[in-house]
Amino acid sequence: MSHEHHHHHHHHHSQSNIKTAFFLNFGFTIIELIGGILTNSMAIISDAIHDLGDSLSLGTAWVLQNKSEQRSNDTFTFGYRRFSLLGALVNSLVLIAGSLFVLSEAVPRLLNPETPHAGGMLMLSLLGMAVNGAAVLKMKSGRTMNEKVVSWHLLEDVLGWVAVFIVSVVMMFWDFAILDPLLSVLITLYILINVLRNLKKTLFIFLDGVPEEMDALKVEKSIQRIPNVEDTHHTHIWSLDGEQHVLSTHVVLCEDISKEEVMHVKTAIKEALHHYPLEHITIETEFSAEDCSLTAQE
């Protein structure tokens, strides 16, 4: 299977995963809102509002993931890969806003807890774990930042329903109404921390940071070890979407090198870097006497 075919297949799979997650999430949100009101459960109502935000951001992720598959053109010469990354950013911000809303609703209930309908909570929690668990299994193979952030959306829902299940079982035997908002707060804080970590990674990619699986110094040294290479500079490494990376570098060649030897150097550089997930490599060759700056005088 060629790299291009494999990459297209992966992006199609990614789009299908997010589409499935969107419909599962949106459909269940309606059930959740009604169930939360009927059972008077803060955990369920909070999760329903949060799920509504999740559904909107999942829909955005689906559209942007589809957009990211379009080929490059004169406007976006690297293609639309970063549209997928934009989806991850939007999702993170929506999830953070939703988490803060849940906390604002749940914390006051810690002071004045209300007893929910435990039986109804139990039935909804079982259904919630089944639906959201299926969505997590669908997304667990995701590799893009977009899919990883979406996975946190879904994992949050699963953990939330586990909390609701525990609360409902306990309250069927004991009157501990405070457990409902307490577990809601704990789960939300746990998810919020992880989403902030993913947001940091997403922003790092947006700011053209060197991908964590690549070392700029090691890359330069591996190029400098190639015969007829004197030095390297202006080496830049960044990522398009957290999965596919780009490298550009200036390679200083030995004097009196032949055209054929220049071609050999370029081939050797590509071979030295083949184990890195590089989507595109740009190599500019020059000699030590040259001034490669854009302001060089002719």
Side-chain angles (χ1 to χ4, degrees), residues 185-197:
V185 168
L186 292 176
I187 293 297
T188 301
L189 288 176
Y190 172 75
I191 294 298
L192 188 58
I193 290 171
N194 285 285
V195 171
L196 287 173
R197 287 176 182 168

Side-chain angles (χ1 to χ4, degrees), residues 218-278:
K218 286 184 179 180
V219 167
E220 287 198 313
K221 286 183 175 179
S222 64
I223 296 174
Q224 291 165 2
R225 285 194 292 266
I226 295 171
N228 290 315
V229 174
E230 286 189 353
D231 196 11
T232 58
H233 56 263
H234 291 315
T235 299
H236 305 289
I237 307 169
W238 67 99
S239 184
L240 295 175
D241 60 359
E243 183 183 0
Q244 297 298 316
H245 312 321
V246 179
L247 178 146
S248 69
T249 186
H250 287 211
V251 179
V252 181
L253 302 175
C254 298
E255 299 291 340
D256 302 322
I257 187 174
S258 67
K259 181 180 178 181
E260 185 178 352
E261 287 172 324
V262 172
M263 299 301 293
H264 282 313
V265 168
K266 288 186 175 182
T267 300
I269 292 173
K270 292 175 182 177
E271 289 177 352
L273 303 176
H274 80 279
H275 60 284
Y276 291 112
L278 291 165

Side-chain angles (χ1 to χ4, degrees), residues 25 35 44 51 62 65 81 127 133 153 201 214 217 268 280:
N25 210 269
I44 294 178
D51 242 5
W62 174 26
Q65 189 71 37
R81 296 285 177 79
L127 184 60
H153 279 274
K201 291 180 182 179
M214 300 195 69
L217 188 59
H280 188 78

Side-chain angles (χ1 to χ4, degrees), residues 6-119:
H6 174 75
H7 189 76
H8 174 76
H9 174 74
H10 172 67
H11 270 264
H12 178 73
H13 185 252
S14 173
Q15 181 190 345
S16 176
N17 284 347
I18 295 174
K19 177 182 177 181
T20 301
F22 166 71
F23 282 111
L24 280 172
N25 210 269
F26 184 71
F28 192 67
T29 296
I30 307 302
I31 299 173
E32 205 174 357
L33 280 168
I34 298 171
I37 294 170
L38 293 177
T39 58
N40 190 36
S41 168
M42 187 62 239
I44 294 178
I45 293 174
S46 298
D47 196 69
I49 299 298
H50 214 154
D51 242 5
L52 185 60
D54 285 356
S55 297
L56 294 174
S57 58
L58 283 168
T60 304
W62 174 26
V63 172
L64 294 177
Q65 189 71 37
N66 183 40
K67 186 71 175 177
S68 73
E69 294 183 31
Q70 293 187 20
R71 295 183 179 276
S72 60
N73 53 37
D74 293 339
T75 305
F76 294 95
T77 55
F78 270 119
Y80 291 80
R81 296 285 177 79
R82 288 211 165 182
F83 279 69
S84 171
L85 199 62
L86 180 61
L89 180 61
V90 171
N91 285 353
S92 295
L93 295 176
V94 169
L95 197 52
I96 289 171
S99 295
L100 294 176
F101 175 80
V102 169
L103 291 175
S104 71
E105 292 293 317
V107 170
R109 281 220 181 179
L110 291 173
L111 303 175
N112 298 293
E114 299 178 17
T115 303
H117 187 279

Side-chain angles (χ1 to χ4, degrees), residues 109-110 113-116 118 121 163 166-183:
R109 281 220 181 179
L110 291 173
E114 299 178 17
T115 303
M121 287 177 65
I166 294 171
V167 166
S168 62
V169 170
V170 171
M171 287 195 300
M172 288 182 76
F173 299 97
W174 297 281
D175 185 19
F176 289 150
I178 196 172
L179 287 180
D180 180 48
L182 180 61
L183 283 178

